Amino acid sequence: MPEGARAGGTDLRALRWEIEEFNTDYAAVLDAGRVADWPDFFTEDAIYRITGRENWDAKLPVGLIYCEGMGMLRDRALAIARTTMFAPRYLLHQISNTRVHSVDTAGTIAADANYALFETLVDERTTLQQVGRYHDRFVREGGRLRLKERHCVYDSVIIDTALIYPV
Amino acid sequence: MPEGARAGGTDLRALRWEIEEFNTDYAAVLDAGRVADWPDFFTEDAIYRITGRENWDAKLPVGLIYCEGMGMLRDRALAIARTTMFAPRYLLHQISNTRVHSVDTAGTIAADANYALFETLVDERTTLQQVGRYHDRFVREGGRLRLKERHCVYDSVIIDTALIYPV
Amino acid sequence: MPEGARAGGTDLRALRWEIEEFNTDYAAVLDAGRVADWPDFFTEDAIYRITGRENWDAKLPVGLIYCEGMGMLRDRALAIARTTMFAPRYLLHQISNTRVHSVDTAGTIAADANYALFETLVDERTTLQQVGRYHDRFVREGGRLRLKERHCVYDSVIIDTALIYPV
Amino acid sequence: MPDSARTDSPAPAPALRWPSDGLTAIPDWVYTSPEIYEREIERIFKGRTWNFVALEAEIPEPGCFKRSFVGATPVVVARDLKGTVHVFENRCAHRGAELCRPQLGKSTEIVCPYHQWTYDLAGNLTAVPFRRGIKNEGGMPKDFRLEDHGLLQLKVTTRHGVVFASFCRDMESFEDYVGPEILKDFDAVFAGRRLRILGYYRNTVPANWKMYHENLKDPYHATLLHAFLVSFGLLVAGNKSAMIVDPTGRHGTMASAKPPDRPQVDAESKTQMRAFSDTLRLADPKFLDFVREFDSPWSVTMQTIWPNLIVQRELNTLGVRQIVPRGPNEFLMIWTMFGYEGDSEEMTRHRLRQGNLMGPAGFLGIEDNEAMRFVQQGIVRSESDTSVVALGGTEEGTSQHLITEAAIRSMYRHYREVMGL
Amino acid sequence: MPDSARTDSPAPAPALRWPSDGLTAIPDWVYTSPEIYEREIERIFKGRTWNFVALEAEIPEPGCFKRSFVGATPVVVARDLKGTVHVFENRCAHRGAELCRPQLGKSTEIVCPYHQWTYDLAGNLTAVPFRRGIKNEGGMPKDFRLEDHGLLQLKVTTRHGVVFASFCRDMESFEDYVGPEILKDFDAVFAGRRLRILGYYRNTVPANWKMYHENLKDPYHATLLHAFLVSFGLLVAGNKSAMIVDPTGRHGTMASAKPPDRPQVDAESKTQMRAFSDTLRLADPKFLDFVREFDSPWSVTMQTIWPNLIVQRELNTLGVRQIVPRGPNEFLMIWTMFGYEGDSEEMTRHRLRQGNLMGPAGFLGIEDNEAMRFVQQGIVRSESDTSVVALGGTEEGTSQHLITEAAIRSMYRHYREVMGL
Amino acid sequence: MPDSARTDSPAPAPALRWPSDGLTAIPDWVYTSPEIYEREIERIFKGRTWNFVALEAEIPEPGCFKRSFVGATPVVVARDLKGTVHVFENRCAHRGAELCRPQLGKSTEIVCPYHQWTYDLAGNLTAVPFRRGIKNEGGMPKDFRLEDHGLLQLKVTTRHGVVFASFCRDMESFEDYVGPEILKDFDAVFAGRRLRILGYYRNTVPANWKMYHENLKDPYHATLLHAFLVSFGLLVAGNKSAMIVDPTGRHGTMASAKPPDRPQVDAESKTQMRAFSDTLRLADPKFLDFVREFDSPWSVTMQTIWPNLIVQRELNTLGVRQIVPRGPNEFLMIWTMFGYEGDSEEMTRHRLRQGNLMGPAGFLGIEDNEAMRFVQQGIVRSESDTSVVALGGTEEGTSQHLITEAAIRSMYRHYREVMGL
Ligand code: FES
Ligand code: FES
Ligand code: FES
Ligand SMILES: [Fe+3]
Ligand SMILES: [Fe+3]
Ligand SMILES: [Fe+3]
């Protein structure tokens, strides 16, 4: 049966609003190319991973990007911001269908949301870089939500050329 | 004049949140390929229809999918889940611009929302399967919202090959 | 650091809901082709502008559409509705990632949101007309929000043929 | 359309030599060669054929017009103020603009948006702005005659409200073109009752346009691919059925008579039909009810009228499908679904419910479109280079059973003649 | 781009024979043939022409560079440290990478991302990493000379801050190339005042690149298609106006003098102009004000400078448009809008407001781009095969009135010579 | 794919004459000509080559099958019930449908969806529904033999769990095909340990497929383009390294031995390497740890096995990459990442962490894919027409240093022979 009922409670709804705002800020940082600020959305021990739906469905662990912990998040941010060679581009996220599944006793929030990521190389047409779903675990640190886990699972099996920025 | 004012009341806003959650669950079921669960979002006497904007604007009644009542909804779900031959694919909905128009004395809620449906055949690029708008009538049954009517009116006049799953 | 915190306050959140509803109505008017009603979303002295991200980032003032005040908004609406020659088409907006930045002492609200605009010529496939972000300033007039400024900044550097309707 | 088809470079022009095994082997290049496609446009769609363009019910009143296609060429179908239907190219005689833009409309004239040359509803040029210039300056030459610059007009015929057009100047009558066998079931749908348009579907199929004809001249697939047809006996081995072919081989009618209830399928046949299920049951069986309303022994007739029309009578769901080729690897299907004037509200809804069988989201339509896509992919991307059409041996023409590809062979006999292959 | 254009198979190479009726009939294949397109690239864009590449105001300081195009070929326009402007191909001399990526930038050198071969701002190769190898192992051969491996450099000229480039080694001066008639109105925009860039538009048009020239050599359409022009008298039958053509026929200036207020349009003309409306009124008319700032009798001059530049002076909204062909069926337009240094804040805003007339969202721009799209669709998809350019009979060259296609004929006389058609 | 590549018309067939300077100049047309591409499909991918199609670990059990490609041709790799691996075309012998749809699956037979012709896991036709017709009506001709209508079967070989296929009927053994130099490092990855699949990446690159080989036969770029490699000493001037080439010139191994910690890079080299940074530091350096697990002096070996396989051993991140060409201007890369059975949880996570180096989002992968895109753009859009491969003079074959393009020249010597250029 549909899960509508499960999400009916006020608390989950308030969490949804908070997560929507979190995701909006998260996307705004990436869309502005401020990749150096991106690790701040995560906890010290966070897992961040981008993987295709074929891997996710088959429980294969590989990630296009696979970061364990703040160090690897910062190294990824640094590499993209400073050392990696790629053509300039604009990115824009549309995040919708945000859903809060549960809050466990430790206060960890299980949630997901759908995203569409549009990419524009500065002299070409806008393309759909990928569509997918965030599978998230949030915790609250000092009143603020932070991501303990974000698995970006994309439907778009075939990546065009390269995926530069985190999703 | 714009309709903003009409949607200003608290009640309509609370309904919007509830419908957003309903649509999120609805999309999640379809995006997961759980088409057998899809009829549960409807009332016993529900109308479900997918039609092009050219038909909608001209008041032509035809539907790509046209279901009257739970029986036809279940038959569609069964056929897609069990008997119909088609290539495997992933689907992802983005639902936004949800709007509650009114609640009549019988408690029937008139609402609409925009959707974009992205389709990925497992060895091809993601394509925009269709964009359109849900024209909905909801009723409350045992505390839960259910669709009494959903007309999916798509802008995308030309369907690519086939539309397999309900929208 | 992420801006999540900044948007945490209840007031900003309530404003977000109101702006989401405003944008939904705004999009509905344009998607229905009711361009004559579009100026009603603005104040008498409003600025409306559509420009590419390359201009926005370089602080170049040009606009694909550049309107100062209600007169120019009405002239644009009139021209599109009555005199301009173009092929019939359908438009659909997806607006998401709505964010309220601040409210100044004069009550002017700074906000933004992401949009994707899908265009369908009546005998062709749906295309992504453009994606971009609204950079807005709202004021309240007689209880209703109105746009004092809307800058539509599109990522999609290259416009396909022509941009007919306001975004 | 499969990525590969989009991104692969064009195959080198194949040697267009038909394989020796006659009609039981079809060479891939008839489905993929741009050269063959161009020849099809010239010799078939612009040749000696009647091409479906509209139903009169779509343009009921004087001044009504509709955009349509003959082959891949855009045309306008218009009813003039005297009520006569005309078909002309949708290309301005001045600089060539595709001048008529709305799908359907009503007007007393057709005006080109660019310089407003004006045409009547027969496609005749009636006005050229500033034709005489201004103050004796400019304008068209003295010897410019409006009558020399009309829109290219096609030959038109109608039968019981169905409109056909032809680029061929000396076309035989439609009746002679299709022949009595085909006309019979055609008239069963259209004669005597006025149509009520219920709406449109439009879809592309990433396959060669001829595959759509083959699919409907292939009763074999019907009894294997479509679980719905076989399990509910709409078209299944055991039913009274026929694959009717006209003497030229180009037109066809796939026909079947549904028994009152579940079909009697012998054990042997069941084992042959993976799609068959005794246990498959509908929660709402009434959508498969057949209301007898036609003067015909058949409950289903699917007609392929060469080169671009399918007439669908599937129980009580009715429609015409127009094939618009778009190169060798894709075609557009335009479906016009209809009932009859005077249908009761319930009858109309019955037709709409039954519509779930057909169209790009229909229980049958999905499977046919997917199957055709698979075939084009296989043909475009593989090393092998012919397909086998040997079912029923080398027999051609009409047959009373389903396990044959005779009608496909008949079609290719005609095709090879016209195409000079 | 229309689906058809996307999905139709390439038409078979047409017999490239020009119709007998000389310049009053244009064959479709000049707009659609890949073979013709390739010849245009070789003989026109890479031939004896000056191609617009940049405004000096875009690269004001030493070290500034910009990506641009000559025909379809990407080039870099750079100002070296001495201030000289250079134009060279955007293709690394090593393995061929399109090495310069940002649209605009500033640097002392240009480094290829792949193996970091390094070039100065004139396109000369200045460094090859590990050219001598490491420890006498590897590296480039002894006889490898940096000066033999620079980027392909083009000939460059500028006039009043407008930069042109040519693949032709012995090009005549720009002044001789365009001639005095054209130079006059060109200088009216550029001479004496420094430009201030206001921003960019970029759009594609699914039409052949030559149609853009024809559109601006076609005063007839201006007075018919554009309700704004005619109703507010910007360019309308009755205004003092001219279609100026240079002696070679390739360049042109469409010019019109707007009367102080609503134009005097005689009753006869009104009946000819559907777009004309006496009653059309602006809620904010000031956006059509004309601030006299040019040494010219004209309030509007639209210049077509062969083969890739349009200079727009529409009242007070100013810009250059660069045409970048992308095959026969599409071109890219790059618009650079500008005012002048020293413009008041209000004057700048006036230019921005007036900008609503032009560009891919402009009241005029929308109509022209749509019209060109319609023409290409008509030409690609129809059966007919020529268009008619008979307005003003067979006259060519400059004319003082609007109801003529003389300038289009002049352009095609030149075109046929250069193309050998 | 760059717009230009999408919208430009096909270049006219170039004169396919190799430039006189032998192997130090590569003509653009090898990367862009549809004619050359077709010849490559015939002579290389369908010629005397072993093409990678699968890892046995992907189809571990009887009945397991996988969709794959040989060149651009879709094939199925299946393990029959006796455990033998077969490779056959994914095209039905009846009407040509691409019959196998899932990427991976398990079954006892393969059934075509259209008419349910049924094949065993070797590709043999085992059943045709209603082959004998119904009640003696229809069905296949008496002389129809199932064994004449199987799926086209390819020759198959495996080495240590890696599966290769060939259209060539009399292929030499894989061992003879690659030769001992290449086999050595191949076996270092695959011999003796069973693989555990960790997952897949798929990406397209808008470049010619040969560029991927060249990129991995080009140690020069590695030490210049990749800040990560040079700054952390994975592959850098100063390391012990080699570019190994087999005697035929078609296969290669780029190998490097990482020093225990930061590399000793002499001052001279540093000045040559813009990408080098002493100060670049990782917040989490452990992801670059190298766990010694191979019987090899090298910490990195990247093998190019002609024509469609790359074997990646980058420290402890392992994978195979399959090249699927899609016309001259694009190829698809399918990455299968793996570890070994018995890897500890921590070791698996170490491999996953290190995976950040490679793939379409890898620190190195991003740079290589972008560089190849730039090269194809430059080649497609520019006026120049050859690229320079002169590093290391005219030397060919294996070299012990990085500053050479010898391996690229070796590849093109082989290529020209096979292609007859
Ligand atoms: S193109 Fe139709 S009037 Fe000129
Ligand atoms: S391609 Fe430019 S340096 Fe090698
Ligand atoms: S195409 Fe495969 S069974 Fe007919
Ligand atoms: Fe069928
Ligand atoms: Fe114009
Ligand atoms: Fe590399």
Side-chain angles (χ1 to χ4, degrees), chain D residues 344-376:
Chain D
S344 69
E345 164 68 10
E346 171 49 28
M347 185 62 180
T348 296
R349 285 169 53 199
H350 175 58
R351 297 194 200 278
L352 296 174
R353 288 191 300 262
Q354 223 159 52
N356 284 289
L357 288 171
M358 297 298 190
F363 295 125
L364 280 57
I366 286 171
E367 293 174 323
D368 287 322
N369 291 3
E370 283 287 271
M372 284 180 270
R373 182 166 70 87
F374 297 170
V375 172
Q376 192 76 15

Side-chain angles (χ1 to χ4, degrees), chain D residues 250-411:
Chain D
R250 62 195 159 184
H251 313 300
T253 304
M254 193 188 296
S256 179
K258 176 186 193 260
D261 39 68
R262 308 281 290 201
Q264 300 320 315
V265 180
D266 56 82
E268 161 56 11
S269 292
K270 284 182 192 176
T271 64
Q272 300 284 319
M273 298 187 292
R274 296 168 173 276
F276 182 87
S277 160
D278 272 319
T279 59
L280 189 59
R281 286 277 176 275
L282 290 175
D284 184 349
K286 75 175 176 307
F287 106 96
L288 286 184
D289 292 350
F290 177 38
V291 179
R292 307 208 159 271
E293 58 177 331
F294 305 100
D295 171 18
S296 165
W298 307 116
S299 53
V300 175
T301 58
M302 301 295 298
Q303 296 199 285
T304 43
I305 311 234
W306 188 258
N308 80 329
L309 174 64
I310 284 85
V311 180
Q312 163 196 323
R313 172 165 78 86
E314 178 80 35
L315 304 176
N316 304 106
T317 177
L318 308 172
V320 287
R321 309 175 193 170
Q322 182 179 7
I323 298 171
V324 182
R326 298 182 175 211
N329 296 304
E330 181 176 284
F331 61 94
L332 172 68
M333 292 288 301
I334 304 172
W335 306 60
T336 309
M337 309 305 292
F338 56 82
Y340 297 110
E341 288 198 1
D343 279 346
S344 69
E345 164 68 10
E346 171 49 28
M347 185 62 180
T348 296
R349 285 169 53 199
H350 175 58
R351 297 194 200 278
L352 296 174
R353 288 191 300 262
Q354 223 159 52
N356 284 289
L357 288 171
M358 297 298 190
F363 295 125
L364 280 57
I366 286 171
E367 293 174 323
D368 287 322
N369 291 3
E370 283 287 271
M372 284 180 270
R373 182 166 70 87
F374 297 170
V375 172
Q376 192 76 15
Q377 278 184 318
I379 281 170
V380 167
R381 311 207 288 185
S382 70
E383 163 75 329
S384 313
D385 55 9
T386 60
S387 62
V388 177
V389 184
L391 208 62
T394 58
E395 71 187 19
E396 295 180 37
T398 297
S399 84
Q400 305 304 326
H401 61 86
L402 301 173
I403 314 305
T404 183
E405 292 165 326
I408 297 173
R409 284 185 292 271
S410 299
M411 177 182 112

Side-chain angles (χ1 to χ4, degrees), chain A residues 1-5 7-8 13 16-17 20 53-54 57 94-99 114-116 118 128 131-133 155-160, chain B residues 14 17-18 20-21 23-25 27-29 31-34 37 40-41 90-95 118 120-127 144:
Chain A
M1 55 150 265
E3 297 150 34
R13 181 169 292 166
R16 170 166 74 99
W17 295 328
E20 285 172 345
R53 193 155 157 181
E54 67 180 326
D57 291 348
Q94 291 270 68
I95 302 176
S96 72
N97 295 45
T98 306
R99 202 160 53 141
N114 290 353
Y115 64 86
F118 300 98
L128 184 62
V131 296
R133 172 172 287 182
D155 282 15
S156 310
V157 186
I158 298 174
I159 299 287
D160 182 355
Chain B
W17 296 328
E18 199 175 349
E20 286 172 345
E21 286 150 7
N23 283 336
T24 296
D25 292 329
V29 162
D31 293 349
R34 291 169 40 210
D37 294 337
D40 299 337
F41 290 95
Y90 304 128
L91 290 171
L92 190 128
H93 288 70
Q94 291 270 69
I95 302 175
F118 299 98
T120 310
L121 290 157
V122 295
D123 52 0
E124 295 177 25
R125 293 198 197 286
T126 297
T127 59
R144 291 194 35 220

